[in-house]
Amino acid sequence: RIKNRAPAAIQITAEQLLREAQERQESAFRAPKQRVEDFEELHEYRGRKRKEFEERIRRTRGSIKEWLQYANWEASQNEFARSRSVYERALDVDPRSIQLWLSYTEMELKNRNVQHSRNLFDRAVTLLPRVDQLWYKYVYLEELLQNVPGARQVFERWMKWEPDDKAWQAYIKMEERYGELDRASTIYERWIAVRPEPRVWVKWGKFEEERQRLDKAREVFQTALDFYGDDEEQVEKAQAVFSAFAKMETRLKEYERARVIYKFALARIPRSKSAGLYASYTRFEKQHGTRTTLESTVLGKRRIQYEEELSHDSKNYDVWFDYARLEEGAFGDLRSEGATTEEEETATGRVREIYERAVAQVPPGGEKRHWRRYIYLWLDYALFEEIETKDYGRARQIYQTAISLVPHKTFTFAKLWIMFAKFEIRRLDLSAARKIFGTAIGMCPKEKLFKGYIELETDLREFDRVRKLYEKYLEYDPANSSAWIKYAEIESQLEDFARTRAIFELGISQSPLSMPELLWKAYIDFEIEEGERETARSLYERLISLSGHVKVWISYALFEAEQIAVPRAMREEEEEDEDAEQKMVPGDTDRARQVFNRAYKELKSKGLKDERVALLEVWKTFEEAHGTADDVAKVNDMMPIVSKKRHVDQETGQMVEDWELVFADDERENNPTSFKFLQMAHAWKSNQNKGGNDASKPIISAAPALSTSNHKDDNAASDIGSSDEEN
């Protein structure tokens, strides 16, 4: 065990350890140097070394490394004949060893045996014609010796084997170095015959352009385009040729030629496969084109992007919308710029093609959420045909096809039916529009369809049809409060008040009813507007007997206090004087107080504290506006006191404090003694707060205005609650 873990006095670094290890290493073994004094010793040394080499070769005959060491040693002793003999013996063992041939030729070249090297290279390339390194060495030797015809002859032998592109380029560069440009052009032609690929055509064309033979360069590119033809696959393969040809014409400032070349290629290559060519064309138009040509180029680029996105997901309707808007925008720009009829037809065909491809992507499955975006493609298509092309027959056919495609037994789209009907109205075919609405309601009734049909007939002032439609609508959905209200409003506007009341009565008698409070409110508002206070009062009484909600009581009480117009019969008698103000019947505040009292007692009997507080708040505001100080004080006395009550939680066993609303009349009836004490404590606390400084203002007044949703903590309530518990 290590007892002392303190750091050592002398620290040893890693650098020091490595340095010491390096210093203590033993030196590598080195053979002693031999010194030869005379020819006899030299002869003996050579014999001994040859014996060693022969012994090693005998043991490892297939090791080229041993043969090379032996041959190089003989060459170092200037025994070239013996070295050649060793190399020849090695070639008998492995005549296809590239390393052996290269080492053999290098030995001859070092010793200036040029003819021997030529012979060796000739033998090597004859035996191994597919090894480019041997050919390169052979050509380099001949060119180094200034034997250009000999180098050319070697290249010719090499080219018969149809090597890779680097070999052809090396041959061409050699001819360029010696100014034989016609020969280089001939080599390009032979190269093309062997390997007719786009990059070779491009290199040849650039070569002819650099030597200022522009006609020849154009001829090369045109020959290339003729070679590939007009087939889509071949044109796609030759994109590099088109791009290089156009760039050459651009450099020569032949911009129209370049533009024609770009358009020719882009018209024959699919948009999804010509992104690079489009990018080049875009750059060209930005530099040398007009505004119109630049916009068309940008459109082409956007088309490629949309096609790529659709190739990944053909049912991406957002992309289809953007694509269609792009084509519609291009069509609009052409028309505004005064394009020819042929150009407009082409643009229109392109838009139709996009829409046809888009609507062909029918959503899978029978769920409506998958169809929501899809239907708008049909609507946009129909609007384009109606507004832009004025082809109304085609627009009608589009609507009919879309309607036949939707599975109306499962779900439907009211917007589709309504748009179709409005289209027929714009074509002044009212019977067709009514037939469309009738078919829709009969096949797949829906609220929006009824509303659309009713709106149409209302605009046409066909009120008999409107009544029939409302009857059908309410037969379909009798629980729809808004439908009853709208029906009654129509009859009210037609001043058929008996029919209006009958509709309201029939509506409130329905069970169940969605949002019945809206229908009751509309009915009561109608009677108030008609000046029928007694009828409205009876409606409030019926509604209270049904619901008894605090809001109904408040509305009832305020109704009794507010003034309303005189009955319509009296108004009609006084219609002769148009300038006279409309007479109003004042409200009855005593009746309003009676309603407030009834409401308070009703809510008290039900034990609804929060509702009572809300009622008292409105009652207090009412008395402040219409009553006396005594009336306000009376309501204040009815206001509850907020107290805090402690009790033990049954689940946790801990003391819990809860807010509680204590009403005076409740406590007076239930706990008269404790209530009197509570009032005295509350009054004392209020007086204390009034007598203190501004920083200690009372939190609870004698008659606090309370909000049942947010009761704040205060010392007075805490003290009162504690006293209550102690009692």
Side-chain angles (χ1 to χ4, degrees):
R1 295 178 59 187
I2 301 174
K3 295 182 179 180
N4 187 4
R5 297 182 180 273
I10 301 174
Q11 296 293 316
I12 300 175
T13 63
E15 182 183 358
Q16 184 178 352
L17 292 173
L18 292 173
R19 187 171 60 251
E20 289 181 359
Q22 182 69 20
E23 291 174 353
R24 293 178 183 178
Q25 282 184 356
E26 296 182 359
S27 59
F29 172 76
R30 293 182 180 178
K33 292 184 179 180
Q34 295 182 1
R35 186 173 180 180
V36 179
E37 297 291 343
D38 52 17
F39 285 104
E40 186 176 352
E41 289 183 7
L42 178 60
H43 183 71
E44 183 183 355
Y45 164 73
R46 288 177 175 172
R48 188 169 65 253
K49 289 291 289 183
R50 289 189 181 107
K51 186 176 180 181
E52 290 177 5
F53 279 120
E54 291 291 344
E55 186 65 24
R56 285 159 59 186
I57 286 170
R58 185 180 62 80
R59 289 198 303 268
T60 58
R61 182 176 177 81
S63 176
I64 300 300
K65 182 179 178 181
E66 300 293 342
W67 289 103
L68 292 178
Q69 289 179 356
Y70 188 8
N72 289 331
W73 180 81
E74 291 289 359
S76 67
Q77 299 297 320
N78 293 327
E79 294 287 346
F80 301 116
R82 286 179 175 275
S83 179
R84 292 189 189 100
S85 175
V86 173
Y87 274 118
E88 293 295 337
R89 290 167 59 196
L91 288 173
D92 290 339
V93 174
D94 189 2
R96 295 187 174 275
S97 174
I98 301 171
Q99 184 182 7
L100 192 57
W101 284 107
L102 292 176
S103 180
Y104 194 180
T105 54
E106 187 178 357
M107 184 271 293
E108 296 290 1
L109 288 173
K110 282 182 179 179
N111 296 286
R112 301 180 181 279
N113 296 323
V114 176
Q115 194 58 41
H116 279 284
S117 297
R118 279 179 175 153
N119 293 336
L120 287 174
F121 276 121
D122 187 79
R123 290 169 57 195
V125 298
T126 303
L127 183 63
L128 302 171
R130 294 295 182 187
V131 180
D132 293 343
Q133 192 174 5
L134 295 174
W135 289 105
Y136 282 122
K137 291 279 187 181
Y138 195 2
V139 170
Y140 178 71
L141 171 63
E142 296 294 348
E143 194 173 356
L144 191 65
L145 297 173
Q146 299 296 318
N147 185 13
V148 178
R152 188 176 291 120
Q153 186 178 3
V154 174
F155 267 120
E156 290 295 334
R157 289 178 59 192
W158 191 6
M159 295 305 110
K160 290 179 181 179
W161 291 96
E162 298 181 1
D164 59 6
D165 294 344
K166 290 183 179 180
W168 292 96
Q169 289 177 350
Y171 192 6
I172 291 167
K173 286 180 180 179
M174 188 198 76
E175 297 292 359
E176 288 180 359
R177 281 197 296 271
Y178 296 104
E180 298 288 345
L181 300 181
D182 292 335
R183 286 180 176 272
S185 182
T186 306
I187 296 168
Y188 268 116
E189 189 172 352
R190 291 168 58 194
W191 186 9
I192 285 291
V194 172
R195 198 167 284 110
E197 296 180 1
R199 52 193 174 79
V200 183
W201 290 103
V202 172
K203 287 180 182 294
W204 189 10
K206 287 183 178 179
F207 168 76
E208 298 294 349
E209 181 188 359
E210 288 172 359
R211 60 186 291 217
Q212 300 300 318
R213 292 191 60 184
L214 304 179
D215 294 337
K216 180 67 175 177
R218 287 194 179 99
E219 183 183 350
V220 169
F221 282 119
Q222 289 171 358
T223 306
L225 299 183
D226 292 339
F227 172 78
Y228 286 107
D230 293 340
D231 186 50
E232 179 182 315
E233 185 176 352
Q234 294 296 323
V235 174
E236 178 189 349
K237 187 178 178 182
Q239 286 189 61
V241 178
F242 283 104
S243 180
F245 194 5
K247 288 178 181 177
M248 185 193 76
E249 296 292 356
T250 305
R251 287 192 293 270
L252 299 175
K253 298 184 179 180
E254 295 285 349
Y255 303 127
E256 287 303 322
R257 282 176 174 267
R259 186 174 287 109
V260 168
I261 293 166
Y262 276 124
K263 289 184 176 180
F264 178 83
L266 294 175
R268 286 161 176 77
I269 305 176
R271 295 171 184 171
S272 59
K273 299 178 181 179
S274 56
L277 195 59
Y278 261 116
S280 300
Y281 185 32
T282 305
R283 288 193 295 270
F284 167 78
E285 291 294 353
K286 285 180 180 179
Q287 293 175 354
H288 310 290
T290 61
R291 174 178 166 273
T292 306
T293 55
L294 180 59
E295 286 180 355
S296 63
T297 306
V298 173
L299 284 174
K301 192 173 183 180
R302 293 286 299 278
R303 288 184 185 115
I304 292 174
Q305 294 176 357
Y306 288 136
E307 291 291 345
E308 284 186 5
E309 292 180 17
L310 293 173
S311 65
H312 298 303
D313 183 9
S314 61
K315 288 183 171 54
N316 189 344
Y317 300 121
D318 292 331
V319 178
W320 284 114
F321 280 119
D322 294 339
Y323 202 174
R325 290 192 193 102
L326 176 73
E327 297 295 352
E328 286 188 31
F331 173 78
D333 293 340
L334 275 175
R335 176 177 287 180
S336 62
E337 292 171 2
T340 62
T341 306
E342 185 179 353
E343 290 177 341
E344 283 191 14
E345 289 179 356
T346 304
T348 305
R350 191 178 290 115
V351 177
R352 285 172 176 164
E353 178 193 356
I354 297 304
Y355 273 121
E356 290 293 340
R357 289 172 57 197
V359 298
Q361 306 299 324
V362 182
E367 295 186 23
K368 187 174 181 177
R369 60 190 180 89
H370 296 146
W371 288 68
R372 294 186 189 278
R373 298 287 289 161
Y374 172 72
I375 286 299
Y376 279 92
L377 287 170
W378 286 100
L379 296 177
D380 289 353
Y381 189 11
L383 290 174
F384 169 77
E385 294 292 349
E386 179 186 358
I387 298 170
E388 300 295 339
T389 64
K390 310 295 184 185
D391 192 344
Y392 304 115
R394 192 181 185 92
R396 184 178 290 107
Q397 186 179 1
I398 291 168
Y399 280 119
Q400 292 171 351
T401 307
I403 285 174
S404 64
L405 194 64
V406 177
H408 300 289
K409 298 297 181 183
T410 308
F411 57 83
T412 190
F413 291 94
K415 191 173 187 65
L416 182 61
W417 293 99
I418 294 171
M419 291 284 287
F420 190 12
K422 288 183 177 179
F423 164 76
E424 294 293 355
I425 291 170
R426 288 191 293 271
R427 302 311 310 143
L428 304 178
D429 193 348
L430 183 59
S431 60
R434 284 173 173 159
K435 186 176 181 181
I436 291 167
F437 272 123
T439 305
I441 291 172
M443 186 182 299
C444 44
K446 196 175 181 182
E447 183 178 0
K448 287 184 179 179
L449 289 172
F450 281 108
K451 287 182 178 179
Y453 199 179
I454 289 169
E455 182 182 358
L456 169 65
E457 298 295 353
T458 304
D459 292 340
L460 295 173
R461 300 297 186 265
E462 294 284 349
F463 295 110
D464 291 335
R465 289 181 177 272
V466 172
R467 287 190 178 105
K468 291 179 182 178
L469 287 172
Y470 269 117
E471 290 172 5
K472 293 289 185 182
Y473 186 7
L474 293 172
E475 285 178 10
Y476 164 69
D477 186 8
N480 192 334
S481 297
S482 62
W484 289 102
I485 294 170
K486 291 292 184 182
Y487 191 10
E489 285 179 358
I490 288 288
E491 297 295 351
S492 176
Q493 291 171 4
L494 297 175
E495 297 186 357
D496 193 345
F497 304 114
R499 194 180 184 94
T500 304
R501 289 187 177 92
I503 291 169
F504 274 125
E505 288 292 338
L506 189 60
I508 61 178
S509 65
Q510 300 297 319
S511 180
L513 194 66
S514 63
M515 294 186 292
E517 64 276 6
L518 297 179
L519 186 57
W520 279 97
K521 184 179 184 305
Y523 194 4
I524 292 170
D525 290 344
F526 165 74
E527 295 294 355
I528 292 173
E529 185 181 352
E530 293 298 311
E532 300 291 339
R533 188 182 290 274
E534 290 297 330
T535 309
R537 186 179 293 123
S538 65
L539 287 175
Y540 269 119
E541 293 292 344
R542 290 167 61 188
L543 182 56
I544 285 171
S545 64
L546 288 174
S547 69
H549 196 274
V550 64
K551 290 185 178 180
V552 179
W553 283 109
I554 292 171
S555 178
Y556 187 13
L558 296 178
F559 155 73
E560 292 291 1
E562 69 182 4
Q563 61 179 0
I564 64 174
V566 297
R568 183 173 291 275
M570 298 176 62
R571 274 181 271 171
E572 290 176 353
E573 292 175 358
E574 299 175 358
E575 277 183 355
E576 297 177 359
D577 189 4
E578 297 180 356
D579 297 333
E581 294 184 1
Q582 186 177 4
K583 290 185 177 181
M584 305 294 289
V585 178
D588 190 347
T589 55
D590 292 334
R591 276 185 176 274
R593 289 189 184 93
Q594 291 174 9
V595 174
F596 275 122
N597 274 315
R598 285 177 58 197
Y600 185 80
K601 291 177 182 178
E602 182 72 20
L603 296 174
K604 177 183 175 181
S605 65
K606 295 180 180 179
L608 303 175
K609 293 186 177 182
D610 293 343
E611 285 77 358
R612 288 162 70 187
V613 172
L615 180 70
L616 289 172
E617 289 290 343
V618 179
W619 193 358
K620 179 183 176 182
T621 306
F622 168 79
E623 294 296 356
E624 289 174 351
H626 301 92
T628 62
D630 294 337
D631 294 330
V632 175
K634 180 183 177 182
V635 178
N636 279 333
D637 291 341
M638 297 172 69
M639 286 288 185
I641 297 172
V642 180
S643 67
K644 195 162 53 175
K645 204 167 188 177
R646 295 192 183 98
H647 65 89
V648 178
D649 192 352
Q650 298 297 331
E651 295 182 0
T652 61
Q654 296 180 352
M655 186 67 70
V656 180
E657 293 183 351
D658 286 338
W659 293 100
E660 185 178 10
L661 297 173
V662 180
F663 286 87
D665 48 358
D666 291 348
E667 287 297 311
R668 190 182 297 112
E669 294 174 2
N670 298 332
N671 301 308
T673 305
S674 62
F675 175 70
K676 187 174 183 181
F677 179 78
L678 182 64
Q679 277 186 323
M680 294 171 61
H682 185 69
W684 175 82
K685 187 64 178 178
S686 300
N687 293 330
Q688 288 293 107
N689 290 334
K690 289 178 182 178
N693 55 16
D694 294 335
S696 59
K697 291 183 179 178
I699 299 176
I700 299 180
S701 63
L706 299 177
S707 174
T708 57
S709 61
N710 186 12
H711 301 296
K712 297 184 178 178
D713 190 8
D714 59 273
N715 297 329
S718 178
D719 295 342
I720 293 169
S722 302
S723 301
D724 186 35
E725 282 298 315
E726 290 172 3
N727 291 335

